[in-house]
Amino acid sequence: MKFVIQRVKNAQVEVGNKIVGKIENGFLVLIGVAHKDTKEIADYMVKKLINLRIFKDENEKMNLNLKDVNGSVLLVSQFTLYGDCSGGNRPSFTEAAKPEFANELYEYIISECEKKIDRVETGIFGADMKVSLVNDGPVTIILEK
């Protein structure tokens, strides 16, 4: 499982001409699910995400987590995180989970985040999404398990 976490001032996801998810101050999280992933791995990743201390404290040090700053999350599925270009210029996605399984874990991640964070927004699994953001810092962290 891979999470690409961007600390944002704001972020949104559009499908067609409709905004389907929008946050202020928090994390935009791109989520890639591999065929070998489990709910236990998802639990680990959500715990890391929620407790990740990458917001600035009063001394300008990255020392605060989402709850400390009343932050939100915008969760977006992205199977292309498992694109492997080692064999050529066209990515192979053989490590990415099949859509039905990936969606099941994506929905599980959403539900687990909703138990811990006040505001959770999402994209739409499998849709052609347009994601926009203002990266704060910029700060981008990659979590992988």
Side-chain angles (χ1 to χ4, degrees):
M1 189 169 292
K2 294 181 185 183
F3 285 8
V4 176
I5 303 162
Q6 295 179 298
R7 187 181 75 187
V8 298
K9 289 288 187 188
N10 58 66
Q12 70 179 32
V13 178
E14 292 181 49
V15 175
N17 290 325
K18 182 181 177 195
I19 296 173
V20 297
K22 182 176 182 177
I23 65 165
E24 306 289 327
N25 189 46
F27 293 155
L28 166 64
V29 186
L30 305 176
I31 300 170
V33 178
H35 58 81
K36 63 183 184 285
D37 287 331
T38 63
K39 286 185 177 179
E40 290 75 24
I41 291 172
D43 289 339
Y44 169 85
M45 297 291 281
V46 168
K47 183 178 179 181
K48 282 294 236 190
L49 173 71
I50 301 305
N51 293 302
L52 195 61
R53 298 183 336 182
I54 60 173
F55 291 96
K56 291 180 182 177
D57 65 14
E58 66 279 357
N59 298 314
E60 296 295 307
K61 301 289 184 195
M62 287 197 296
N63 199 31
L64 303 176
N65 65 30
L66 274 171
K67 289 183 179 185
D68 295 332
V69 299
N70 197 29
S72 304
V73 292
L74 175 56
L75 305 173
V76 178
S77 62
Q78 189 173 354
F79 82 95
T80 60
L81 291 179
Y82 277 98
D84 178 5
C85 296
S86 63
N89 294 323
R90 184 168 187 250
S92 167
F93 299 102
T94 57
E95 290 300 311
K98 300 288 185 215
E100 184 176 290
F101 178 68
N103 189 36
E104 179 183 317
L105 276 182
Y106 174 62
E107 293 294 331
Y108 178 77
I109 290 165
I110 293 167
S111 69
E112 291 303 300
C113 284
E114 288 174 338
K115 292 175 185 175
K116 298 166 177 61
I117 298 294
D118 290 336
R119 179 141 187 234
V120 177
E121 296 280 322
T122 68
I124 297 176
F125 185 90
D128 181 17
M129 296 177 276
K130 307 300 181 224
V131 180
S132 58
L133 68 135
V134 174
N135 195 317
D136 182 17
V139 174
T140 302
I141 303 291
I142 300 172
L143 288 180
E144 188 170 5
K145 177 102 172 131

